[in-house]
Amino acid sequence: MKTSKKKMLLCCGLALLTGMAVVGAGFAQNAASQVKSLGGGKVLDQLNKAPDVNRQSTPDGGFGRSYRQQPPLIPHKVERYQITATNNACMRCHDWPGNIEAKAPKVSETHYVDRQGARLDKIAGTRYFCQQCHVPQVDAKPLVGNDFKNSVEVK
Ligand code: HEC
Ligand code: HEC
């Protein structure tokens, strides 16, 4: 094929494409003018209250414990606190003395004792991953019924 012929074919192709695009845009515009908002013509003049960022939906005074040894449930959100090999974001507020300024309860003394019973100055490895034992609490309807009774209740 000669180059001039090739060029002509390319030009025709381009012209055709442009035409299609213009027609397409016309259709789209037509369709857009027919679409109505799901809420009708109403204007939103009321905003929902911003969600509470720090607290879970806990009843006043928290949930209490179901049995003596239960790790306390977490009364705040935890999404933003990462636990990595080099940093435990929970300990910023729950380690002494940082907990004083954060007004957070210090982790229990048991959390500084290692498996051999030695008392450490930093969180024991066995307690490093807090959410193995502590979970955030939320005031949700239980998915499954539960008739657990603790040792005091069965007496
Ligand atoms: C910015 C500070 C801060 C960080 C970070 C933080 N907490 Fe807390 N935490 C608190 C405060 C303050 C309380 C006191 C209860 C409240 O929210 O009123 C608390 C309460 C708790 C309690 C309840 C203790 C009890 O005796 O009832 C647990 C368990 C807990 N946090 C675990 C965690 C875990 C696990 C992480 C990391 C995923 C974490 N916290 C990160 C501030 C923090
Ligand atoms: C192996 C389970 C386990 C792990 C892991 C663990 N905890 Fe606990 N935690 C408990 C139990 C059980 C209690 C309650 C009994 C006690 O005081 O030892 C408790 C108590 C606490 C308390 C309440 C202390 C008080 O005096 O009221 C806080 C706060 C706490 N843990 C925070 C944390 C944080 C933060 C981490 C992670 C750095 C963590 N825990 C890791 C089991 C665990």
Side-chain angles (χ1 to χ4, degrees), residues 65 68-72 83 88 90-91 94 104-111 123 125-134:
R65 299 191 195 187
R68 195 191 318 280
Q69 304 85 351
Q70 184 193 335
I83 298 177
N88 184 321
C90 310
M91 290 304 274
H94 285 288
K106 178 177 70 63
V107 295
S108 160
E109 275 304 309
T110 58
H111 293 32
I123 190 86
T126 48
R127 307 283 185 156
Y128 193 76
F129 296 102
C130 317
Q131 277 130 300
Q132 280 181 326
C133 304
H134 299 279

Side-chain angles (χ1 to χ4, degrees), residues 19 25 30 33 36 50 52 66 78-79 101 103 107 113 117 121 140 150:
N30 210 9
S33 63
K36 291 213 175 74
D52 203 337
S66 302
V78 291
E79 290 90 46
E101 201 187 321
K103 295 194 177 64
V107 295
V113 179
D121 195 36
N150 63 37

Side-chain angles (χ1 to χ4, degrees), residues 5-27:
K5 226 179 177 181
K6 255 194 201 166
K7 263 190 191 157
M8 226 176 79
L9 271 178
L10 194 71
C11 276
C12 284
L14 273 180
L16 202 70
L17 271 182
T18 323
M20 267 155 67
V22 169
V23 173
F27 271 126

